[in-house]
Amino acid sequence: SRENKTAHNMMEALNEAYDKLRPPAKEMKKEEEKKEEGKDIQAALAEEIAELKNPKTKRFQKLDAGLQKGIGFIKMLPPPEGSKDEPLSPPELAMALMEHIKETKERKSRYCMRFIPVENVCFASKEKIEETMKPLIDKHFPKAGEGVVPIKFSVLHESRASSHLDRMEIIDLVAKLVPEPHKVDLSSPDKSILVSVMKSICMVGVLSNYHGLAKYNCNVLAMTDEERAEACKATNFKPVAKVEFCKAEKTSVPEVESTDSDKACKETPPAKDSEKVDDSK
């Protein structure tokens, strides 16, 4: 199905990004051994395929959450026992993938629009959200002290098939958890705290350079400047003060308000035939 192909393509892209950030130390050793021992190429290839099929070496797994059509989930598995490599967090890996797409203009999957990292999941209630957010806030926003650099942040709230939580109450709740000397900055935040509610589930995470990476929109990041200009023109999008959506740079539109930039992202034209990615791999 389309969902399975998209998940497969994105897991391949995540594995590539992971290997670039954490190159396996054994790879260089294997190459040296192959040259020294003159190992048969077919035997070496069979070993690598067997290792990839081994569930203990898998990094990602497609989940069938059944929450909403058109939204898929990929679980990041813990490293295997005995691994000495420092694991990456979902936000680190997702940001590296988005930066790669922005730099290379390479669409990893034709049907993947946004790729949002999630660090934790909880029941969608104010009490559980506050409880779940506290350790994330402590991790990303250290308390005031010597050498602590102030971080500008914003709180983003998204809701799908859910209306039992007041948007501004959740935003205020999360913002108050962030200690001094960190300050709210809706125009150019260093980090964005995402609270995404879907039915009775709440997904939370802290994203870096969210606006500079086009809200982690893969389609927009893969566009050239000319394609962005055409998309803006097709949707009659007119940037307001300080907004540079067409350049895919940081935007000064606060997340607490709906803007035409979201419409422009949602109505991004499909990839041209010459730019389609082969999903049959």
Side-chain angles (χ1 to χ4, degrees):
S1 67
R2 179 180 296 181
E3 289 79 7
N4 288 334
K5 286 182 179 180
T6 301
H8 177 73
N9 290 339
M10 295 313 296
M11 284 191 287
E12 283 187 343
L14 287 170
N15 272 312
E16 291 174 3
Y18 199 107
D19 286 338
K20 288 181 180 179
L21 294 174
R22 295 284 188 277
K26 59 184 179 181
E27 284 190 358
M28 294 182 64
K29 186 177 179 181
K30 279 186 177 181
E31 291 297 328
E32 292 176 359
E33 290 177 353
K34 290 176 187 177
K35 291 179 181 179
E36 292 175 359
E37 300 175 7
K39 185 180 289 187
D40 182 75
I41 296 178
Q42 291 185 349
L45 183 60
E47 280 186 13
E48 291 183 6
I49 293 174
E51 185 177 352
L52 291 173
K53 290 183 177 180
N54 185 351
K56 293 184 178 179
T57 61
K58 287 179 63 176
R59 293 173 179 153
F60 308 99
Q61 178 184 356
K62 177 183 177 295
L63 296 181
D64 185 11
L67 290 177
Q68 188 172 345
K69 188 177 180 180
I71 297 178
F73 295 88
I74 296 175
K75 180 181 179 181
M76 190 171 179
L77 302 175
E81 293 183 8
S83 175
K84 297 182 180 180
D85 294 335
E86 183 181 353
L88 291 166
S89 68
E92 288 177 312
L93 192 56
M95 185 175 72
L97 179 57
M98 294 302 105
E99 288 177 339
H100 175 77
I101 294 174
K102 181 179 180 180
E103 180 181 352
T104 63
K105 307 301 179 187
E106 178 185 359
R107 286 181 171 90
K108 296 300 182 179
S109 177
R110 179 186 177 190
Y111 300 110
C112 181
M113 181 175 177
R114 294 178 71 205
F115 196 83
I116 306 298
V118 173
E119 293 185 82
N120 213 334
V121 180
C122 66
F123 179 71
S125 70
K126 289 193 291 185
E127 295 75 16
K128 286 296 182 181
I129 292 173
E130 181 177 6
E131 179 183 335
T132 305
M133 284 302 313
K134 282 182 178 179
L136 281 183
I137 297 298
D138 293 339
K139 174 184 175 181
H140 292 278
F141 301 93
K143 296 180 180 179
E146 187 176 352
V148 174
V149 179
I151 299 173
K152 298 179 293 182
F153 72 94
S154 66
V155 180
L156 317 174
H157 179 276
E158 296 180 354
S159 180
R160 296 182 179 88
S162 176
S163 59
H164 65 284
L165 292 175
D166 183 81
R167 187 165 181 265
M168 287 310 303
E169 284 184 7
I170 297 301
I171 290 176
D172 291 339
L173 170 69
V174 174
K176 289 177 181 178
L177 295 175
V178 182
E180 295 289 344
H182 314 295
K183 299 291 185 182
V184 174
D185 188 329
L186 300 178
S187 61
S188 56
D190 300 313
K191 294 186 177 183
S192 299
I193 305 171
L194 177 65
V195 181
S196 182
V197 179
M198 188 178 298
K199 295 186 178 180
S200 61
I201 302 298
C202 179
M203 297 162 282
V204 297
V206 180
L207 288 61
S208 299
N209 197 20
Y210 183 69
H211 295 297
L213 292 173
K215 300 181 181 180
Y216 286 35
N217 187 312
C218 304
N219 285 347
V220 174
L221 290 174
M223 287 181 177
T224 62
D225 292 340
E226 292 77 13
E227 289 173 330
R228 291 195 191 98
E230 289 179 7
C232 291
K233 185 178 180 180
T235 56
N236 294 321
F237 173 71
K238 296 180 180 180
V240 296
K242 297 184 180 179
V243 177
E244 297 183 356
F245 168 77
C246 291
K247 297 181 181 178
E249 300 297 335
K250 293 183 179 179
T251 174
S252 61
V253 178
E255 272 300 312
V256 296
E257 297 180 2
S258 176
T259 67
D260 287 339
S261 63
D262 294 326
K263 179 181 177 183
C265 287
K266 292 179 181 178
E267 297 183 5
T268 300
K272 299 177 181 177
D273 292 339
S274 60
E275 298 169 342
K276 290 181 181 178
V277 175
D278 185 4
D279 288 322
S280 62
K281 295 181 181 179

